[in-house]
Amino acid sequence: MAVRRIPIRTATAVKAAVAAAAFGGLIAGCAPVQMGSAATIGSDSISSSQLNTQVTNLTTAAKPYSKTVQLTAAQVPKDVLGWLIRFKVRENLASSEHLAVTASQSNQALADIYQQAQAQAQQQGVTNVTLAELAVANGLPPDLLNELGRYQAIEIAYAEKHNGGTLPTATATVNAITKQFNTAECHQYKDDSVKVNPQYGQLNYSQYTVVASPDTLSRASGTPPKASTSGTSPSC
């Protein structure tokens, strides 16, 4: 049985739920990305060579799991680029919020992710799944797992900061801080003016993933298909 993908977008600040959620057109009016860049985030960029290196890392890491994980050549660069963008924007949010996380906190967040993901995999009938296998199944090169732990630890630190130094437990408080965090991150994407090289696709803001650009080829009738605008701009 194949290892299924786990939803990427995180939606809550409670530690266990955060761990579970980790694995989960040209932008109108935007200037073009920098030459040689797969994406730009503010004044920073993700180079095409950096992306290609991580794509190679992912495809190499996926080979031992060919029976349980199916990757497609067209989707791999989009998945990897999506992770690289999310990591960078989350780091910028941490800087904006003056959040600091330790290596120990990042390691604990990654352990929580693994525990929660294992439980989900078992519910799907998959046992003895490794952390590397889960990473590959979600389009994440395993050598970036430490970045995933830090990514989650930043959200936990945000929740603690905005709840007086401890994680929220009451449902109403969790929901309020979750909404606050999602809004803050949305604004960070806007402030960073994230742009994706159309060679790789476009950013979908509903999940912060890189997806294929709309098909603009004309139909048999001679009219181009109507491109969907859902998720192509921040909702905040």
Side-chain angles (χ1 to χ4, degrees):
M1 181 178 293
V3 176
R4 300 179 185 176
R5 296 172 67 86
I6 303 169
I8 291 170
R9 181 73 177 107
T10 202
T12 177
V14 175
K15 186 179 291 187
V18 166
F23 277 154
L26 298 178
I27 302 173
C30 286
V33 295
Q34 300 171 7
M35 291 293 292
S37 296
T40 56
I41 302 99
S43 59
D44 297 315
S45 67
I46 297 168
S47 69
S48 295
S49 61
Q50 179 185 359
L51 174 60
N52 291 338
T53 295
Q54 290 301 341
V55 165
T56 299
N57 289 343
L58 175 59
T59 54
T60 299
K63 290 179 180 178
Y65 310 112
S66 59
K67 293 183 179 180
T68 57
V69 177
Q70 288 76 46
L71 299 179
T72 60
Q75 187 61 36
V76 165
K78 296 178 179 63
D79 285 345
V80 175
L81 184 55
W83 281 114
L84 294 175
I85 291 171
R86 285 191 293 276
F87 291 156
K88 178 56 183 172
V89 174
R90 185 65 63 87
E91 289 291 343
N92 289 349
L93 177 61
S95 178
S96 298
E97 288 283 333
H98 306 290
L99 301 174
V101 298
T102 66
S104 177
Q105 289 170 321
S106 297
N107 291 339
Q108 184 59 57
L110 185 59
D112 291 339
I113 289 170
Y114 185 34
Q115 181 181 18
Q116 212 51 33
Q118 276 185 311
Q120 290 190 13
Q122 289 173 357
Q123 291 174 0
Q124 299 168 7
V126 180
T127 58
N128 300 320
V129 63
T130 66
L131 185 55
E133 186 176 9
L134 286 166
V136 167
N138 286 274
L140 175 67
D143 66 310
L144 295 179
L145 278 167
N146 287 339
E147 291 293 325
L148 178 63
R150 181 171 172 82
Y151 174 84
Q152 295 300 88
I154 289 170
E155 181 173 353
I156 292 169
Y158 180 99
E160 291 174 340
K161 174 183 176 180
H162 291 274
N163 190 55
T166 61
L167 279 174
T169 55
T171 300
T173 307
V174 169
N175 291 341
I177 292 181
T178 296
K179 182 177 180 180
Q180 183 178 353
F181 174 82
N182 290 341
T183 299
E185 187 161 62
C186 179
H187 281 293
Q188 190 66 54
Y189 273 86
K190 288 180 68 175
D191 292 344
D192 286 340
S193 187
V194 179
K195 305 175 184 69
V196 175
N197 188 321
Q199 174 184 349
Y200 302 104
Q202 65 180 16
L203 185 66
N204 184 307
Y205 285 89
S206 63
Q207 294 288 328
Y208 299 136
T209 55
V210 175
V211 298
S213 299
D215 182 6
T216 57
L217 296 177
S218 297
R219 299 171 181 171
S221 62
T223 59
K226 184 177 181 181
S228 171
T229 58
S230 175
T232 57
S233 61
S235 59
C236 53

